[in-house]
Amino acid sequence: MATAYDLTLEQLTERLVAWGEPAFRAKQVYAQLWRRGATYEEMSDVSGLLRERLDSELPLLVETVAERIADRGATRKALLRLGSDGHMVETVLMGYPERVTVCVSSQVGCAMGCTFCATGQMGLANNLTAGEIAAQVVWARREAERLPPSTPRRLTNVVFMGMGEPLANERHVFGALTKLADTAGLGLGARHVVVSTVGIAPGIERLAHAHPQVGLAVSLHAADDELRSDLVPPNRRWPLAELERALEGWRRLTRRRPSIEWALIDHVNDTLEQARKLSAIARRLHAHVNLIPLNPTPGYEVRGSSKARVRSFANALIGAGVNVTIRDTRGRGIEAACGQLALSADLAR
């Protein structure tokens, strides 16, 4: 069954006109669904009969199964049940003094098999539809109003860094990107959206052509093929040389710099040798590097790097002329790394 979030304005208009409603009614409903994040019950300017029919034939099907709060209310992580199939995914809302970012999932589980990732332990159960992905952003828009006053209390940024590999669900992710930018709906600027990938080279090339304003982050985690193939198995299909070519093509076409994501694992990829190799890659790509202290993951015994090793690695990159950020690790106490809440819920069944 399709949900309201799966439909474009034109499709919703066609449906409501077939029900005998005027075309402007569809615009009313559509705007309230996307801009306000309203439920049908909250649409006071729509008749009760129409609200009942919408709920019956075009249900929203977004249910918060579990929610955890950290960082004095600035981080909210939800386990959401989406769509008629009841897909369970994680969505994380993070409030900062200058922005509010939501991290959305694109798949139920993940088939990439990255050894240090909780979602990678789950395997792939299903792809999310464009509507199911976008519905997470609607949830975040509502939740942003409940954030502490130290934040803007309005959603400003979207990152595709939750459960799943976005470019392995390309059709629906690209559809979701179109929905996010739709001025009749959410109206988020594409430059406030970032898609993360483990390095599916052909998908990077297609993203550059289809959505050139959308940002790109690549989960690199190792700077030579031997180590990267162990940590990130898709590297065996698209090794670093091929990935670099795709990223350089993306950079030339979009005129933007990519970001490199690097989860620091103690005595695995936090060595000065890895820093030296990463520096060369980052300089060639004019890339910004985000260093991520690894969150503890059930079933993965290797630890994240100590603060001293994180700082040493960062200093080596900075000394080589690389732009570096050490990411603010949010929600460690609420299992905020992607896949952890869903994995713990699954294990509890």
Side-chain angles (χ1 to χ4, degrees), residues 114-117 161 165 196-199 217-235 240 243 259-265 268-271 274-275 278 281 289-294 300 313 327 338:
C114 298
T115 56
F116 53 89
C117 175
M161 297 181 181
E165 162 55 47
S196 178
T197 177
V198 296
V218 60
S219 296
L220 202 66
H221 307 310
D224 62 68
D225 283 323
E226 182 179 4
L227 179 58
R228 191 165 194 268
S229 292
D230 285 340
L231 297 177
V232 185
N235 189 76
L240 284 168
L243 176 56
S259 293
I260 291 175
E261 309 290 300
W262 191 281
L264 285 159
I265 307 168
V268 175
N269 66 349
D270 61 355
T271 64
Q274 284 292 309
L278 172 57
I281 294 172
V289 175
N290 283 317
L291 300 179
I292 310 163
L294 184 70
Y300 185 69
F313 194 87
R327 182 175 293 174
C338 59

Side-chain angles (χ1 to χ4, degrees), residues 99-103 154-159 188 191-193:
R99 70 187 187 281
V100 174
T101 298
V102 62
C103 177
R154 62 180 180 82
L155 185 65
T156 59
N157 297 77
V158 178
V159 294
L188 283 170
R191 286 186 172 269
H192 294 275
V193 180

Side-chain angles (χ1 to χ4, degrees), residues 165-192:
E165 162 55 47
L167 296 184
N169 186 18
E170 184 179 301
R171 178 169 67 92
H172 291 300
V173 166
F174 285 12
L177 292 173
T178 299
K179 285 180 178 292
L180 299 189
D182 184 1
T183 55
L186 282 166
L188 283 170
R191 286 186 172 269
H192 294 275

